[in-house]
Amino acid sequence: MAARPRADPISEKALIQAAQQQDHDAFEHLVRLYDRSVLRVALNILRSEEDARDAYQEAFLRAYKSLKNFRFQCSFHTWLYRIATNVCLDSLRRKSVRKDQWAARETSDDTPGPLDLASDGRAASNPDQALARNEMAGRIGDALDLLTPKERTVFEFKHYEGLRLRLIGEMLSISEEATKNCLFRAHRKLREALKDLPR
Amino acid sequence: MSCEHIPSQVSLYLYGELAPAETEALEEHIDECVSCAALIEEERRFFAAMNTRVSAEVSHSLLAECRHDLMREVYRSEPETVSAWGRVGAWFSAGRGGGLPWQPALIAASLIAVFFVGRATNGGAANEFAWHEKPPAGTTIGATTIPFQPEMGFSGIESIARDPQNNRVEIIVEEVHRRTISGPSSDPEIHSLLLSSVRNAANSGVRLDSLDVLRGQAENQDVRRTLLGSMLGDNNPGVRLKALDALRPHMADPEVRNALVEVLRRDSNPGMRVYAIDMLAVQPDRGLAGVLQELVETENNEYVRLQSRRVLQDLNASVDRF
Ligand SMILES: [Zn+2]
């Protein structure tokens, strides 16, 4: 969500106002301004296409339903990403419950996720490198799984999306200080989990 | 700044989240302190390791499916009171064509009537009338089905009486009988039924079949108008595409070209936009470069943008001229 799509503020405001009057075309236009980055972050955080699709759908439907309450007090993208973030957090929480339930099964589950597949394709020319990269991706994925949903989200937004801590806090409805602490905890856990990683 | 403050600031420093004064103090310290400089290096290596993760890629097909599912839900969530056909009406009345071959206002008036009847008799089961694609084919009152026939206006209904006690409504309707009409496609009655079907049939399959019959007749003004309306206003992309295809031999008509530009700007289906580019590019006119440049700026679909750039290059126009 870092690379924010360019949206002319005047036309964006007009689009929002039209969408608030039930103009579906205007709403679709708004969706198209932001949905690629929302979907990418959902894919990265949830690491499952199915979950990311559900999150996309739920986030934008929630946005659609509460659009009439949007009062232009913050920027539209912050408002929208706050909704999307909460949806991803909820999904992560449900997922961590599921994971606890299926922990035994998951440890032996070697089905590649979308990230593994992506790295596969890129390094196919060099099998050794591909293997190493796959292992690395797997290790990083496992380490990220150790984080709480909130730590996971803060880390994703800070490290991979490059958002400012203040904005991340705004999206999660927590203070900047709390966001910073969350990021510290994430770093500590990740470094601990990855301390023997080849460098 | 002393060594004990450094560990809590290392990652914030690399993220660029320290205040300028803090950054300066930290940099002064690590210039002097080897062990804290090593901490920074270690953190950099951690960052580099984390950056080997490959970001998920959003494929066109996944994004398109998500958008489609979402908008289907959005349209489903409430009845569409301003239909796409209303937009077509606006397009034609904006001085492009002059004179409507059909009457959106009348359609709207009939819709309101049908909707009202439905609400009154179904006791709030209004979602029965939340149509998804096209206006409903008809509404059932008791055992009688009134076919949805916008062109019959109010003449099909003779009288309406309401019993306030039980909220029941009695409507006397002219009966409509089913009949088969056959003949050559040039037969005036068949011709006009086909046109009416493209505009009004609730079933998109019927609209497609009607277009199939009409596709070779676009030199006829009424047919061409109907095709234009269908291409711009039908809610089904398959129907829009068939109408677009039928207009292909008539690219010399400025109204067809204008309508294609409208497709480029407004059609929600990227496939339609790509076809519109292809058709416009066959006989490019002076305005095309400007339209494509606008598209390169505003288009969300990468493939459509790519096609716009490709055609622009063929036109020898600079993509960044504006
Ligand atoms: Zn030191």
Side-chain angles (χ1 to χ4, degrees), chain A residues 22 35 53 122 184 191, chain B residues 42-43 57 67 78:
Chain A
Q22 316 284 306
D35 66 345
R53 277 178 85 132
R122 286 179 184 208
F184 277 134
R191 294 188 55 157
Chain B
E42 201 187 325
E43 187 74 2
E57 284 184 28
R67 284 172 177 169
E78 60 203 84

Side-chain angles (χ1 to χ4, degrees), chain B residues 3 29 33 35-36:
Chain B
C3 293
H29 180 88
C33 175
S35 60
C36 286

